[in-house]
Structure formats: structure tokens, C-alpha cells
Amino acid sequence: MAGLVAAGAAAAAAVAFAFLTFGRRKKLAIPSLAGKHVFITGASSGIGLAIAKQALLQGAFVTISARNQLKLDKAAQSLVSEAHCDSHSIKVLVADVGDFNAISSAVSEAHSWKPIDVLVCNAGYTKAGYFDEVPVEVHAGQVQTNLMGVIHTVHTALPLMKPLASEKKHSIVIVSSGAGLFLLYGSSVYSATKHALRGLAECLHLELLPYNINVNLVCPGFVDTALIDQVDKDGEFETMLKILNRYDPKTMQSPDKLAEVTLDAVKKGSFLVAPKSFFPLVVLTRGMLAPASFARTLLEAFWAPIIRLVSYKLSADIKKEILKNHAVKRQSHAREIAVRRSTN
């Protein structure tokens, strides 16, 4: 009886502590973006453009950077119109993040214009296809843009940001993907680069603690941008994406909404930013870096064994679907060969 009472008391204490932790309002890392300078790569469209728009609406200055001058000019025009701002609030710089000299020059020029407070590394792309059927040059291009592009940008910006960060909080946003938590079927190297970005962000998160610079790792699900058009949705890959990655065009997140969530995380100083529907993936892939709050840690600890057991069944189902889908593909291919032979 005494043991039950003690256990009950401990549980009640844990719940009370969790409630107090959840209920406590934390001081914002960056209370406002008004007057701040936000530098964004991959900003001519999609998520990057949406973040630029949202930053301008909140009173920030922005530098938008991408590879295509024409697209950047059109993006700048749309920002002036939609964010109701002056063109002097926007700086346009053409640079390929895969080219260290080019992006380094762009970051330095932007910092000379106005010191960079928030660095958003967003540029990236994918090319769907089975690993051995995609040319190695395409794989290399994804690594160069998605991973080395972030390394190039951050490596240049950090020495510029560190001396100023002691006076006020700065932030580095690394846009990874849900593919950084779980694979994106048919996009093996893209998934690899996004996993690598998570590792980079976790290291920087700890390295930069003494310098008053936050790191925000953004792992969105499917977002309604041109990038999703680069995934083959006409056949096998669409089928497997629906099964493995729960792909549904009707539930894709809008770039504007993701931009709001991202900048909100910047202001709060949140490290990992992911949709609520990704909770099981976050729990399973958390690693040694615990959540910021003890209450969240308790919540994840409670669900972890349950989610792991469910994942065992789901993994088995996924493997069956892959083999089934592959068998259907082989049968279809065999029929095509038979038809061709019969017509010759």
C-alpha cells in the first residue's frame, strides 16, 4: 500500500512539474524582426520567397539570393507588391550556393549593406529515380547544392555574425526536410543530404551556444512548391510515396504557413521545427539531444516504446508493399516485351 501511495505521489509530482514547465512562458530569443536583416538562399520562389515575404511583413530587411537573375527580379517585384514595402528594404544578389566564391561574395556584400541577423539556408532540389539509374553527376549536384551549399553559406557568414552576436541574439536557419527524419522513397541522395543537414545543425547548435547564435532546423513535410514537381508522380514513385511517406496533394503545407512557423521558431529560439504529424518520427529519431523542456521529454519518453512497437508492424507492411509493387512492375515490363515481340 505504501508503495502505491509513493508511486502515486511521484506520478502526481511529475505531472505537476510537467504542467509548470509547459505553462512557463520563456523569454523570446529574438522578440521582433523589425529592423533585422534576414539573408535567404533559394529565395526566388517557394519556401525561400515566402520567408522573405513574411520577414518583410514583420518589418525586416531582406536579401534574396538565388542563381537566376530574371527570377530574382520578378521575386523582388512581387515582394514589393505583396509585402507592401519599399524596394530599399530588399537586396537582390545572384549566387549559386554550390559555388563557394560566388555565395561567399554575396554573403559579404549583403553583410556590408546591413549586418546579417538571421541567415536562412534554404536552397535545395531533388531528382527522383532509383539510385543506380540516376547519373552520378546528378547525385553530385544534389550534394553540392543541398549540403555543400549550406556549408559554404554558413562558413562565410559565421565569422561575420560572431562579433555582433554578443550584443544581441542571432540565428541560423537550416531548411532540411521530413526526408531528414525519414527517407523519401526514390530520392536516395536527396534524403542523404537532408540527414546530413540534421547532423550539421546538431553540431552547430552546440558549437554556437557560447556565441549567442541559435540554430533552427526546419523539417517540413510536403510543401506546395516547384520542388514537389521534381518528384515523379506518374507511376511507381507516386504509389510508394503515398504508402511510405503519406504523400497527399490535398494536405500539402503552403509555403506561407511554413514561413510563419519558421520565423516564429526563430523568435522563440526553437531548435527542431517539424509538423505535429511528425511527432512519431521526431520521437524515434531524437537521438541524444533532448527536447528543450522536461515536460516534452516526459511526453516523448512515454510514447517512445509504443511508437517503436507500432513501427515494427509498419516496417513489415512497407517491405511487403515494396516487393508487391516491384512484382507488378516486373509483370508489366514482361507484358510490354511480349507485345513488342509479337508485333515484330
Side-chain angles (χ1 to χ4, degrees), residues 26-70:
K26 293 183 178 180
K27 182 180 178 181
L28 292 176
I30 301 178
S32 171
L33 291 179
K36 304 293 185 184
H37 179 197
V38 182
F39 182 101
I40 310 161
T41 66
S44 61
S45 63
I47 297 171
L49 181 59
I51 291 175
K53 174 185 172 183
Q54 188 58 223
L56 287 166
L57 287 171
Q58 295 187 33
F61 295 92
V62 302
T63 294
I64 56 174
S65 176
R67 293 179 294 181
N68 189 293
Q69 180 73 64
L70 181 60

Side-chain angles (χ1 to χ4, degrees), residues 40-45 49 63-77 79 91-99 102-103 106 123-124 145:
I40 310 161
T41 66
S44 61
S45 63
L49 181 59
T63 294
I64 56 174
S65 176
R67 293 179 294 181
N68 189 293
Q69 180 73 64
L70 181 60
K71 288 183 178 180
L72 275 174
D73 290 340
K74 289 182 178 179
Q77 292 173 8
L79 288 173
K91 189 171 186 63
V92 176
L93 291 173
V94 178
D96 180 352
V97 294
D99 182 335
I103 192 61
T145 297

Side-chain angles (χ1 to χ4, degrees), residues 304-324:
I306 300 172
I307 294 172
R308 175 53 70 197
L309 289 173
V310 172
S311 74
Y312 178 80
K313 175 64 167 61
L314 289 176
S315 296
D317 292 343
I318 286 172
K319 291 173 183 177
K320 288 179 181 178
E321 287 294 336
I322 290 175
L323 294 175
K324 176 183 174 182

